[in-house]
Amino acid sequence: MQTPQRPTLTQFLIDERRRFPEAGGDFNSVILNIALVCRRISHAIACGALAGVNGSADSTNVQGEDQKKLDILSNDLFIEGNQWGGQLAGMVSEELDEPYSIPKPYTRGRYLLLFDPLDGSSNIDVNVSVGSIFSVLRAPDSRRATKAEDYLQPGVEQVAAGYAIYGPATMLVLSVGTGVHAFTLCPLVGEFMLTHPNLKVPEDTSEFAINTSNSRFWEEPVRRYVDECIAGKTGERGKDFNMRWIASLVAEAHRILMRGGVFLYPRDNKQPARNGRLRLLYEANPIGFIMEQAGGRASTGHEPVMQVKPTDIHQRIGFIFGSKNEVERIEQYHKHPRRVDSPNPLFHERSLFTETPNMQ
């Protein structure tokens, strides 16, 4: 099989570094170490049941979620593959209760790594695409062990973010703040090759993704938006929409990055104590960084997600991202809620489903 001559991930990073002569090599090493870990995870996933790595680990993580064997394996690979190089001061993982400080005899470096080692792992056993998500921040002080407060930086402070998607092909999608580029793992040479430079999210779309089984818990602006999409040509929007739902954040983000769309996992009242379902630091912020670097938009519905000041390393948040014009429309619906006397007879407060107040 002949393949066109394409730059490798290493060559791409070297070219990027040449634009900043004052930069050292530590940053490139961080990204290359992550890429190596993703290659190892890809191999483990491909082996699947043959290697005995599918199925439940009969344990839960700090989120109270059931862990898969591959969750634990992927987390171990991220720790093992990134602690030794001297570039990191510490790490935060979805699978760890507390931050992981680089142990002796390894030296500490200038960066922090935050990651979801295997997003969408509940789909592993049915062979649906899953992925790894990562975010890179600067360490406030590399001379000491990291504290939880060191990681509580808003998404705008990220110096790099990306994800690997393990599907029909394994791809690494990366932004170092100069656009978004996707690299495909070549099975012939075992290297990530640049195949999709300068990806852009279309500003408009006719696809949306949301879990409609939660519709009874949605806030009114989200219900309003989805109702309009479902109404199609006969409704206010005057065009038909298609709905998608994979239940894997990486797979949803990758589809939107490649062809447009909008994804909604909004805050709702299903669990009122939670501000949302997805984690801010190692899911929403890195995906938001990717989307905005590609010309899309990422939001909580109320504000840009990357401007949110974190309060906890495992903080949850409502998350809406994708094609810019659709996300901005949803934000406007939150800023300017529909009046209760607006025409929507099934859902507004004075509908046939609401009891008439007792007038005494």
Side-chain angles (χ1 to χ4, degrees):
M1 180 178 69
Q2 291 185 340
T3 57
Q5 190 68 27
R6 301 180 187 275
T8 66
L9 174 62
T10 302
Q11 291 169 327
F12 170 84
L13 291 170
I14 290 172
D15 285 342
E16 286 293 301
R17 182 182 167 193
R18 287 183 178 133
R19 299 170 57 183
F20 305 95
E22 72 283 359
D26 285 359
F27 178 76
N28 285 7
S29 295
V30 171
I31 302 301
L32 292 173
N33 286 343
I34 293 170
L36 178 57
V37 169
C38 293
R39 284 163 50 190
R40 296 179 68 185
I41 295 173
S42 175
H43 177 74
I45 291 171
C47 291
L50 296 172
V53 295
N54 283 6
S56 174
D58 296 322
S59 59
T60 58
N61 62 16
V62 66
Q63 321 287 337
E65 299 167 337
D66 291 336
Q67 290 178 306
K68 300 292 186 180
K69 293 177 183 177
L70 276 166
D71 285 320
I72 296 173
L73 174 61
S74 299
N75 186 71
D76 290 345
L77 289 173
F78 259 93
I79 297 294
E80 175 189 322
N82 288 286
Q83 68 178 350
W84 62 274
Q87 299 89 25
L88 298 180
M91 295 179 257
V92 157
S93 168
E94 179 183 6
E95 305 301 332
L96 299 177
D97 293 12
E98 301 294 335
Y100 180 90
S101 289
I102 302 302
K104 295 180 179 180
Y106 306 122
T107 57
R108 299 190 186 105
R110 298 185 294 162
Y111 297 102
L112 303 173
L113 177 63
L114 305 88
F115 56 89
D116 180 349
L118 195 61
D119 171 74
S121 58
S122 61
N123 288 318
I124 282 286
D125 294 340
V126 293
N127 210 20
V128 171
S129 295
V130 295
S132 302
I133 310 173
F134 62 90
S135 168
V136 181
L137 298 167
R138 291 185 177 87
D141 188 346
S142 61
R143 296 168 298 179
R144 58 167 171 79
T146 60
K147 302 180 293 185
E149 292 78 10
D150 297 336
Y151 300 86
L152 303 182
Q153 303 180 38
V156 292
E157 298 297 329
Q158 294 173 106
V159 295
Y163 62 82
I165 182 168
Y166 313 114
T170 292
M171 297 181 69
L172 182 73
V173 176
L174 174 68
S175 178
V176 296
T178 55
V180 178
H181 312 279
F183 303 80
T184 301
L185 182 61
C186 175
L188 297 180
V189 298
E191 292 278 359
F192 281 107
M193 315 293 289
L194 180 62
T195 52
H196 298 75
N198 298 308
L199 287 167
K200 296 294 181 184
V201 176
E203 291 189 350
D204 296 292
T205 185
S206 57
E207 287 188 354
F208 69 102
I210 193 169
N211 183 356
T212 56
S213 70
N214 289 327
S215 61
R216 64 194 184 278
F217 304 113
W218 293 341
E219 294 177 329
E220 194 281 333
V222 173
R223 183 182 292 113
R224 174 185 178 185
Y225 177 78
V226 174
D227 285 349
E228 289 179 356
C229 292
I230 292 173
K233 286 183 178 179
T234 62
E236 182 177 331
R237 301 297 302 276
K239 69 174 183 177
D240 290 332
F241 284 76
N242 290 320
M243 191 181 79
R244 302 284 184 263
W245 184 251
I246 306 173
S248 168
L249 177 60
V250 163
E252 303 277 7
H254 195 68
R255 185 191 65 249
I256 289 171
L257 188 61
M258 291 295 175
R259 72 183 194 199
V262 62
F263 170 93
L264 302 93
Y265 212 136
R267 178 179 178 176
D268 57 37
N269 62 13
K270 184 177 183 179
Q271 294 177 294
R274 288 182 177 178
N275 287 323
R277 168 70 178 177
L278 298 174
R279 273 59 59 130
L280 174 61
L281 288 180
Y282 43 78
E283 290 179 327
N285 274 346
I287 296 297
F289 189 81
I290 290 287
M291 288 296 146
E292 298 210 347
Q293 283 289 316
R297 188 165 178 84
S299 175
T300 67
H302 299 271
E303 62 181 317
V305 73
M306 290 202 301
Q307 292 182 13
V308 174
K309 181 66 172 74
T311 58
D312 184 86
I313 61 171
H314 297 297
Q315 179 178 346
R316 295 177 186 263
I317 200 163
F319 193 27
I320 298 167
F321 66 82
S323 295
K324 180 174 180 287
N325 291 339
E326 293 301 305
V327 177
E328 288 182 346
R329 175 182 286 267
I330 297 166
E331 289 176 320
Q332 286 302 310
Y333 288 177
H334 281 86
K335 291 178 182 176
H336 306 288
R338 183 166 46 189
R339 301 193 316 272
V340 296
D341 57 348
S342 297
N344 189 0
L346 292 181
F347 293 114
H348 69 66
E349 292 180 4
R350 299 175 62 186
S351 77
L352 56 90
F353 294 106
T354 303
E355 294 183 1
T356 303
N358 184 13
M359 303 298 291
Q360 293 184 349

